[in-house]
Amino acid sequence: MIPLRDANPSGRFPIVTIALIALCSLVYVYQASLGKELRGFFALFALVPGQITYGVQTGEAGIVEVAQPFLTSMFLHGGWIHLIGNMWFLWIFGDNVEDRLGSARFLFFYLASGIAAGALHYALDPTSAIPTVGASGAIAGVLAGYMVLFPGARVTALVPLGIILQLMELPAVVLIGLWFAIQIGSGLLSIGWTGGGVAWWAHVGGFVAGVLLVKALAPRRVMA
């Protein structure tokens, strides 16, 4: 499902949403300039569960080395399509959530959702040697926040019906609920798969964190 727009105007300039998009884009441009050094860059800043586990077991990793990848990995991306897809979702849904939470709380909400996403991914596969990168977990939290705050907001999206993409306008609770169901289903199907791919459970972790956090952070008088 590809969201195109929502009928939900924002009341304030989404400075944090735009800053996050700009930062992720700039980091990707830097990544693209590294060439063969990118592997070493990912070893330092991507989330590699097995590397963290080994560092903890041997005592070679301190608290900074253990905690850092959970934060920095959400600003890295594996390619232009990965980057553009994530930033598009953030652009569609982030401004409204930022509007309701306020910029400072939204930034905390975004980062905390991303860290929770990484934590669940790590907990389910602590020996994986595959670098995990991307803002998807944090953005899953944003989707959850949007669904809780604006369940009836109309979102226009391209929805696959067989081999045909159909333009549909759906309530946010339906569209995002379907998206979440797909993440869980894909995660269940991926159990036992040891190759690379999408970190489905990170999406689930970010989404669940988003549902819990937005209820705690949103002012009661503006909850939908």
Side-chain angles (χ1 to χ4, degrees):
M1 295 176 289
I2 305 172
L4 301 179
R5 60 183 178 273
D6 66 336
N8 193 11
S10 175
R12 76 176 76 199
F13 183 75
I15 185 169
V16 172
T17 298
I18 291 174
L20 289 169
I21 292 171
L23 180 57
C24 287
S25 300
L26 289 172
V27 170
Y28 184 77
V29 170
Y30 177 71
Q31 284 180 225
S33 73
L34 291 177
K36 295 180 179 180
E37 296 177 5
L38 182 60
R39 183 183 295 272
F41 183 76
F42 272 15
L44 287 174
F45 298 109
L47 175 59
V48 187
Q51 184 172 285
I52 292 174
T53 299
Y54 177 80
V56 171
Q57 290 176 341
T58 60
E60 295 179 9
I63 188 168
V64 173
E65 290 79 10
V66 170
Q68 174 189 287
F70 290 93
L71 177 65
T72 55
S73 61
M74 72 179 82
F75 295 98
L76 311 178
H77 287 84
W80 277 111
I81 294 176
H82 189 203
L83 173 70
I84 292 171
N86 277 344
M87 296 304 100
W88 181 252
F89 271 74
L90 180 56
W91 173 250
I92 295 292
F93 298 106
D95 61 332
N96 296 108
V97 179
E98 181 178 350
D99 186 33
R100 285 292 182 91
L101 297 184
S103 296
R105 281 179 294 179
F106 176 70
L107 179 59
F108 172 80
F109 170 81
Y110 180 91
L111 296 177
S113 295
I115 291 170
L120 182 59
H121 176 72
Y122 173 81
L124 293 178
D125 195 1
T127 60
S128 173
I130 300 172
T132 302
V133 297
S136 304
I139 294 169
V142 173
L143 293 178
Y146 190 100
M147 185 185 72
V148 171
L149 293 169
F150 312 102
R154 309 298 292 187
V155 182
T156 301
L158 287 172
V159 180
L161 298 175
I163 61 173
I164 300 174
L165 283 175
Q166 178 69 45
L167 191 65
M168 301 178 68
E169 186 178 78
L170 298 169
V173 67
V174 174
L175 181 69
I176 296 174
L178 286 172
W179 178 89
F180 183 58
I182 290 171
Q183 309 313 300
I184 293 179
S186 299
L188 292 172
L189 289 173
S190 71
I191 292 175
W193 169 250
T194 57
V198 178
W200 301 108
W201 292 111
H203 298 176
V204 173
F207 190 93
V208 172
V211 169
L212 298 175
L213 286 168
V214 79
K215 291 182 178 180
L217 294 173
R220 291 184 182 276
R221 63 183 180 84
V222 297
M223 288 287 288

